[in-house]
Amino acid sequence: MHRSLCIPLPVSAVIRLYNRRMHRLVAYAHGGVHRFVVNQPQMVLGSATSCDIHLPFAGVGPSHARISTEGAVLTIEDLGSRKGVLVNGKRTREVTTLNVLDEIRLGQVALLVEDVAPAPPEAVTSSFTPKSPAVTITPEGFLEHLAGVSRWVQSDSASSRTLESLLNAMLEDFGGGVIFLFQGEEEAPSIKFVVASEAVWLTAGEAVLSRIQEAEAETEDRQRSGAQVADIDGRRTWIAHHILHAHERAYRFVVALPQFENESWSPQAGFRTLGDLLVLGLVHHVGQFQPIVFNQPEQPDLTLAPGLVVGESPAMKKVLEQLRAAVDPPVNVLLRGETGVSKELLARSLHLSGPRRDGPFVVFRSAGASEQQLEADLFGAEVRGRSGDLEREGKLLEADGGTLLIDEVDTLPITIQSRLVRFIRSGEIAPTSGGSPKAVDVRLIVSSTGPLEALVTRDQFRVDLAYLLARLTVDVPALRDRREDLPLLIQVTINRCCHQMAKRVQGIAVKALESLVRYPYPGNLPELENIVRRLVFLCPQGRPIDASMLPEAVRLGTIKGLVPETRGDLDLERLVADCERAAIREALRRTSGNKSGAARQLGLSRNGLAMKMQRLGLAEAAAVAKR
């Protein structure tokens, strides 16, 4: 939740503010761009909510620094923070004078000093509210975003920010929306790239294209560029499109902005430039089979493991923020989530980011083996051989100086749990069959499919071990809870499969992508990879992946629980009501709680859906689906 700072200013102070130019701090942080006007003689920057400039980001102290103004002079002073203040890359502990375009770094936040003209006296206010869903973009701000994308194209794979995060920040300033880059000029082009501010917009490609094609049909003229206002999913939306050609290929760039009103200015020309930059950067500059956005973390303190694609969804951003907090000090971490959600890759990322990165990373799988075998694998054992007893090293000793991941720790037998508690407290292990104890320095990361607390209450897990292992618990989301990342994951998987099969496909059709985004993926990432690999195998060389190639469960959007249980009776009215409830809940989930979109999927009017929801007791279902 954003805070507002409201301090009454006398008229004389307002006039003084207007008669001189003011400074502004532009903060580039994880999640977007924030702007702060320096409108007081002294302002404290920090992560505490009581600060004048609130920066709730990693590495920022509660009261980190103080900004002061005296006349036209702007200075900054460190307030004894742990990580200090950097001005243009140099650490400073004393009062330092700031100039326009100086860069200030507090923890993981970079702030740029700007000189801005104040608003007229009647508009001057000391009330400031950071980012909101409303439109905050200006022509100058739009140019800043275009410059950032241009720098991304120039920097290539060395970029410190992903293209997706840059465009997400741009869409946020426009109040939300979606950007598509299609390949091909035909009526059903394939998607090369898409980024959206909300998951519901990922399935709007066909609707947006149809509005453009309807407008072209009315004018009987296929225009190279155009803009219009149309109704998309019940929202009045400004749409702009641009057709461009590069290397004998045709592309169509499309942007849809539901909150933007172009009465005062039109960004259409700027979006034409953005389309050119995307084609240059995504297609011809970085290579045909490269992932469509660079897999680079925005903050240098977390190194992502090879093969891990995280995207820009809020759920995965939260996971990365929690992992950054666990890099130093290296506390024991519990990764909790369903099978197939990349828990092992996340654990490896944590290992690669910490001081033990040069040590071994060892995985111990605790499911599917006998208790005696598990104990020997983990703690080691003495094995009788022809020439005498041989010592077999366990996983704990193999991981000495590094990290040990205990997979599915919730399946460990109680006896092994007891030995693990003794090891954590003493730091020493003894082989199962005897032998002298050995000191071992290991960081433990564990994973489970469910909460350990539930096992503790059933006496299936030691309460002290649960506390020792879960100093920090990170809930890793399933694919159905991070749908914003699906276009990226699908495209990266297509690229990887094309490399492995030495095959070239021309992107993916709009309907095929929409079906893949809607599918719930009960098997998570392994299931997604299996489906995409099958699609690449079936797709003819040089053609786009079409919806007809999708598995039946994906194409038809199989709804779990749609067929109700009979429970021994065949009461038709109850069975029909249960079926309707399941279908309505699924439609609301697919549209992130949007009733107009859900009604369209169900073949109902919006009022008809509302009446059914009222009759079936689903009045709160839309609000739950939005969470």
Side-chain angles (χ1 to χ4, degrees), residues 344 361-367 369-380 392 394-396 398-399 403-409 411-413 416 420 444-447:
E344 182 175 334
F361 178 80
V362 180
V363 180
F364 171 70
R365 308 193 188 281
S366 57
S370 66
E371 181 176 331
Q372 183 179 2
Q373 181 68 42
L374 289 174
E375 191 170 13
D377 287 345
L378 184 59
F379 297 99
R392 173 190 169 190
K395 296 292 186 181
L396 280 169
E398 287 181 25
T403 303
L404 175 67
L405 169 64
I406 303 179
D407 189 35
E408 296 187 42
V409 71
T411 63
L412 277 180
I416 298 180
L420 193 56
L444 291 178
I445 302 176
V446 299
S447 70

Side-chain angles (χ1 to χ4, degrees), residues 483 511 514-522 547 550-562 582-583 586-587 589-590 601:
R483 293 183 186 275
K511 285 187 177 180
E514 291 183 359
S515 297
L516 288 171
V517 168
R518 290 193 181 108
Y519 185 63
Y521 297 100
L550 295 173
E552 184 178 6
V554 178
R555 188 171 62 253
L556 301 179
T558 303
I559 303 174
K560 183 180 179 181
L562 184 58
E586 177 65 14
R589 183 189 63 77
R590 292 182 180 185
Q601 288 196 11

